Amino acid sequence: EIVMTQSPATLSVSPGERATLSCRASQSVSSNLAWYQQKPGQAPRLLIYGASTRATGIPARFSGSGSGTEFTLTISSLQSEDFAVYYCQQYNNWPPLFTFGPGTKVDIK
Amino acid sequence: QVQLQESGPGLVKPSGTLSLTCAVSGGSISSSNWWSWVRQPPGKGLEWIGEIYHSGSTNYNPSLKSRVTISVDKSKNQFSLKLSSVTAADTAVYYCARRIAVAGDWYFDLWGRGTLVTVSS
């Protein structure tokens, strides 16, 4: 099983600042990585797939990069609605075994 | 637009079977997508349980495979989850989700609102 780790566990950022979240896979997943945002009491929302492709309707301030085992989600200028938990998820297995990272909580500094 | 809605008992007794249904509205369950269940224990992260295609083909998380059955009812445009021999560790919010499979990209683009299932006597 591919194990996903995320750092930091919590990131305190001021509105308007840049946030950089990291995700690491225990073995190469190529570019088969997605990012999700989850707010309290809500379902996760897809942000990024294919490591760097924004999902429909996702603002350009969200960007993803990386391949292999190291990935980054960057939020260029944090808005109030961006304070949430962010999860990465790999999809490199056959048969499918989708695994998520433990999440990074972005909160207000 | 397509929407997903989970339903089922919110309380299940230990050693019992958890049963949930996900109704698909605004679209057909027979589209070229897979239909998944994902759970989230209170205050914790996300765990993929398994998925089904409209043909009935399934994939399960090996850690849960011995206890999980996912089925589809095309006539009702819905799919279901059964998890047997539940314990308190199965207490979680259970989400149904649509899994896209396009050009090698697999991701969950549509989620239900989730339903909390508590395992307790």
Side-chain angles (χ1 to χ4, degrees):
Chain A
E1 177 181 333
I2 298 175
V3 178
M4 308 302 291
T5 56
Q6 291 184 243
S7 62
T10 302
L11 184 62
S12 297
V13 185
S14 299
E17 288 187 340
R18 183 187 196 89
T20 302
L21 289 66
S22 295
C23 173
R24 175 176 290 180
S26 61
Q27 63 190 75
S28 177
V29 298
S30 186
S31 296
N32 298 323
L33 187 103
W35 289 94
Y36 300 84
Q37 176 194 68
Q38 187 179 35
K39 297 179 181 179
Q42 296 185 17
R45 178 175 72 142
L46 176 70
L47 298 176
I48 301 283
Y49 63 90
S52 60
T53 302
R54 274 190 304 277
T56 303
I58 301 303
R61 63 181 182 273
F62 291 92
S63 63
S65 63
S67 65
T69 61
E70 303 281 345
F71 301 89
T72 301
L73 175 70
T74 301
I75 311 171
S76 60
S77 177
L78 268 155
Q79 306 298 302
S80 57
E81 61 267 30
D82 300 336
F83 292 97
V85 179
Y86 293 84
Y87 294 96
C88 60
Q89 172 240 320
Q90 67 81 22
Y91 49 93
N92 197 58
N93 304 87
W94 184 263
L97 173 54
F98 306 103
T99 51
F100 294 85
T104 290
K105 182 179 180 180
V106 178
D107 65 15
I108 301 174
K109 188 174 183 180
Chain B
Q1 71 280 22
V2 181
Q3 293 184 317
L4 306 179
Q5 178 66 60
E6 304 90 349
S7 61
L11 181 64
V12 181
K13 287 183 167 38
S15 78
T17 296
L18 179 159
S19 296
L20 296 174
T21 295
C22 180
V24 180
S25 60
S28 174
I29 203 167
S30 295
S31 60
S32 301
N33 301 299
W34 288 75
W35 305 94
S36 277
W37 289 97
V38 177
R39 69 180 183 178
Q40 185 172 37
K44 296 188 178 180
L46 300 161
E47 180 181 35
W48 177 73
I49 299 170
E51 65 181 4
I52 192 164
Y53 198 66
H54 61 79
S55 62
S57 294
T58 53
N59 295 306
Y60 296 130
N61 188 324
S63 69
L64 297 168
K65 186 174 184 177
S66 63
R67 299 194 291 132
V68 173
T69 301
I70 298 176
S71 58
V72 64
D73 186 335
K74 289 187 285 187
S75 68
K76 294 183 178 179
N77 219 37
Q78 64 186 34
F79 62 107
S80 299
L81 168 71
K82 290 189 185 298
L83 181 65
S84 63
S85 304
V86 296
T87 69
D90 295 309
T91 293
V93 174
Y94 285 76
Y95 295 100
C96 57
R98 182 176 69 182
R99 198 261 290 180
I100 296 291
V102 174
D105 284 316
W106 300 346
Y107 49 85
F108 305 100
D109 74 322
L110 181 67
W111 297 68
R113 298 181 68 174
T115 187
L116 175 63
V117 179
T118 302
V119 178
S120 175
S121 56

